[in-house]
Amino acid sequence: MNKLVCRTCGLMLMLSAFSTLPATACSLSLVLAMDGSSSVDHLEHDLQLNGLANALSDPEVVQAIEAVGGIWVMSFEWSGQRQHFLQFGWQFLEDTASAEKAASTLREARRGFIGFPTAIGYALGYAAVQMSRAPEPCARKVIDVAGDGINNDGFPPSSAYKAFDFEGVTVNGLVIAGEDTSPIQYYRQHVISGPGAFIEIAEDYNDYARAMKRKLIREIMGNGYASTR
């Protein structure tokens, strides 16, 4: 049995298990934070934007969303200390139509800023504020930070964790790999935080959609699906 079949079987088993659970309040509030710093060129930005859109509307991701009764999601682009661009505000995704609506909004989003540095600490602070504004309390709260570099502007992630409310929040990372592997270790040591936190690695920007899909399924279903790399 190949890896693809194994993963599909595992997902279907988890979907079946969730379908037997009683309906509860919102299962997940998810803040998506996409890197728009100067290290990301126009082509790479488009690959991220469309990769995230494709992942959100992927049939397997939609299956996971439906299995948990829907999730609250919002998305923003980050770069410098005060460069945060809202791609879409809080939306409740519960089926193919709502997931495709969010994906379409992403595909049509413009780039927020050009030429600013990588302020991960400030991005985390902004994400924490957005999480506090979620429309309803959910069983799990996850911030999903994607990027290809380390913090080089403003306060570091450790300061954000001290200054903002991350109580009960898990911060996961998606690292776009390159010749310099230091961002992978940086995200492991300084960015991810909270219960069950993990990183997903995209081999390059062309691999972004695959990595994001895998990451979203794991975040939606919980840490039982997909192993840490």
Side-chain angles (χ1 to χ4, degrees), residues 1-228:
M1 186 179 290
N2 60 38
K3 289 184 178 179
L4 178 59
V5 173
C6 287
R7 288 176 181 173
T8 301
C9 289
L11 176 58
M12 293 308 295
L13 285 171
M14 292 195 71
L15 290 172
S16 176
F18 269 89
S19 67
T20 64
L21 295 176
T24 59
C26 169
S27 66
L28 173 68
S29 52
L30 177 64
V31 173
L32 300 167
M34 194 187 93
D35 187 358
S37 62
S38 59
S39 62
V40 179
D41 65 27
H42 291 295
L43 175 59
E44 292 166 343
H45 184 270
D46 288 345
L47 286 169
Q48 279 191 99
L49 201 59
N50 288 296
L52 177 55
N54 292 341
L56 268 180
S57 57
D58 184 275
E60 287 187 71
V61 174
V62 174
Q63 272 189 305
I65 290 170
E66 291 175 338
V68 300
I71 63 174
W72 283 101
V73 183
M74 63 85 60
S75 182
F76 74 94
E77 176 188 318
W78 60 272
S79 51
Q81 295 181 31
R82 293 171 178 81
Q83 283 68 50
H84 305 116
F85 176 70
L86 189 67
Q87 294 166 324
F88 66 82
W90 286 107
Q91 295 186 23
F92 190 70
L93 308 190
E94 58 183 336
D95 53 20
T96 299
S98 54
E100 185 54 48
K101 179 182 176 183
S104 295
T105 302
L106 283 168
R107 293 188 185 103
E108 295 169 3
R110 64 178 178 83
R111 183 163 188 168
F113 303 94
I114 298 174
F116 286 89
T118 305
I120 301 177
Y122 276 78
L124 286 169
Y126 184 84
V129 171
Q130 298 307 309
M131 181 63 78
S132 72
R133 296 172 178 169
E136 64 176 304
C138 295
R140 292 183 296 119
K141 297 182 285 187
V142 175
I143 293 171
D144 185 334
V145 182
D148 67 356
I150 65 174
N151 192 81
N152 60 20
D153 187 39
F155 55 71
S158 58
S159 296
Y161 286 124
K162 293 175 183 177
F164 294 88
D165 182 12
F166 285 88
E167 180 69 30
V169 177
T170 294
V171 178
N172 297 323
L174 191 158
V175 182
I176 302 100
E179 293 182 4
D180 180 9
T181 60
S182 60
I184 296 173
Q185 194 61 27
Y186 184 85
Y187 267 66
R188 283 198 176 113
Q189 292 182 346
H190 304 289
V191 178
I192 65 173
S193 175
F198 68 95
I199 68 165
E200 184 69 41
I201 301 171
E203 301 301 332
D204 53 29
Y205 279 93
N206 289 303
D207 189 42
Y208 190 92
R210 179 209 62 82
M212 181 56 77
K213 171 186 171 179
R214 174 181 163 93
K215 189 167 188 285
L216 285 173
I217 292 173
R218 184 173 179 184
E219 289 168 334
I220 295 164
M221 302 301 293
N223 285 332
Y225 178 77
S227 59
T228 305

